[in-house]
Amino acid sequence: MGPNPLKLCEELLREHEIPRGAVVLDLGSGTGITSCMLAREYGFATYAVDLWSDPGENMRFFEEMGLSNRQICPVKADASQGLPFATEFFDAVVSIDSYNYFGRDSAYLGEKLLPHVKRGGLLYFAIPGMVRDCHDNLPPELLLSWTPEQLEYMHDMDWWRAMIEPTRGVRIERIAPLSCHDEAWADWLACDNEYAAGDRASMEADAGRLLNSIGIVLRRL
């Protein structure tokens, strides 16, 4: 449902500290493409958690990719309402192009997500963002494809830093633009998908200069 998630995930985890066999949450996993990569390529015991995808369909896909339910487990859950896992269950969390949907509440990280992460555990987010917030005066090229309500899900790095910093028990290790942004977008716009087709009007009008992909790495203290 957006820029190539595999490339975003790969760059985000380029210098990761998660050992093979770690229990990892893929939060907002969609159809499970990134979950499959986390299990197959990185050797993580992966929980693919999403609200809108069907766990049965995802598990059939995982099995077709040669993965068993010991390696990967699909779960249907609404991240905004809390997660059905024990406290300090996960060694790490990965979230690609989804955290911006439920993490824009300043209380969310500390109350709903961090309790499920082990102390010292890492959280990796790839978030669609803006180079600079412009919600007070939205450029017309952005509005060719997206409504103001849809654009409210996108913010710049300063906005995300201000959202995260007050949270107790977590330290920001890194916030930076992901260098694969342009390539990931090109992959998305070239694919045969109705949502990609809808995004083309803005991107063909050079709205891409206003957007970026933000990589965030956090550590639970």
Side-chain angles (χ1 to χ4, degrees):
M1 297 296 291
N4 191 323
L6 298 179
K7 290 180 178 176
L8 295 171
C9 187
E10 185 176 38
E11 180 175 343
L12 189 63
L13 295 182
R14 187 169 293 163
E15 298 178 5
H16 75 86
E17 302 176 23
I18 314 170
R20 293 185 72 86
V23 179
V24 173
L25 167 63
D26 186 3
L27 185 58
S29 57
T31 56
I33 296 173
T34 51
S35 307
C36 186
M37 184 173 75
L38 293 172
R40 288 185 60 180
E41 306 300 325
Y42 294 89
F44 304 149
T46 304
Y47 284 78
V49 175
D50 195 80
L51 175 61
W52 303 112
S53 61
D54 179 78
E57 291 180 4
N58 280 5
M59 195 65 228
R60 286 189 287 274
F61 167 63
F62 299 148
E63 289 171 347
E64 289 172 2
M65 299 303 292
L67 295 165
S68 73
N69 59 11
R70 292 188 177 185
Q71 296 168 286
I72 191 166
C73 178
V75 177
K76 188 178 185 70
D78 185 348
S80 68
Q81 300 302 309
L83 297 169
F85 299 103
T87 57
E88 300 192 28
F89 186 80
F90 294 104
D91 296 295
V93 175
V94 176
S95 185
I96 308 298
D97 276 0
S98 59
Y99 188 77
N100 53 305
Y101 290 111
F102 43 80
R104 291 176 295 112
D105 179 341
S106 60
Y108 176 78
L109 178 61
E111 295 181 3
K112 300 291 181 66
L113 183 54
L114 274 187
H116 301 291
V117 183
K118 294 177 182 177
R119 298 186 185 277
L122 291 160
L123 301 92
Y124 295 84
F125 305 150
I127 297 174
M130 291 181 170
V131 175
R132 286 183 297 277
D133 267 23
C134 54
H135 295 281
D136 292 337
N137 185 24
L138 288 168
E141 53 265 50
L142 287 174
L143 297 172
L144 293 174
S145 292
W146 304 295
T147 66
E149 291 75 21
Q150 290 172 317
L151 291 166
E152 184 55 38
Y153 291 108
M154 296 184 182
H155 289 279
D156 62 17
M157 288 188 294
D158 288 343
W159 189 94
W160 280 106
R161 186 181 294 277
M163 175 67 63
I164 294 167
E165 278 186 335
T167 304
R168 298 181 62 182
V170 69
R171 180 173 70 230
I172 298 174
E173 300 283 353
R174 183 172 74 248
I175 297 183
L178 295 173
S179 61
C180 68
H181 170 79
D182 290 340
E183 186 177 348
W185 261 101
D187 291 345
W188 168 238
L189 295 174
C191 75
D192 183 16
N193 182 291
E194 63 177 305
Y195 293 101
D199 290 348
R200 288 178 191 139
S202 281
M203 299 305 283
E204 289 171 357
D206 199 28
R209 64 186 170 80
L210 304 168
L211 305 177
N212 62 6
S213 295
I214 302 170
I216 301 177
V217 181
L218 310 176
R219 186 183 299 275
R220 185 182 179 192
L221 303 177

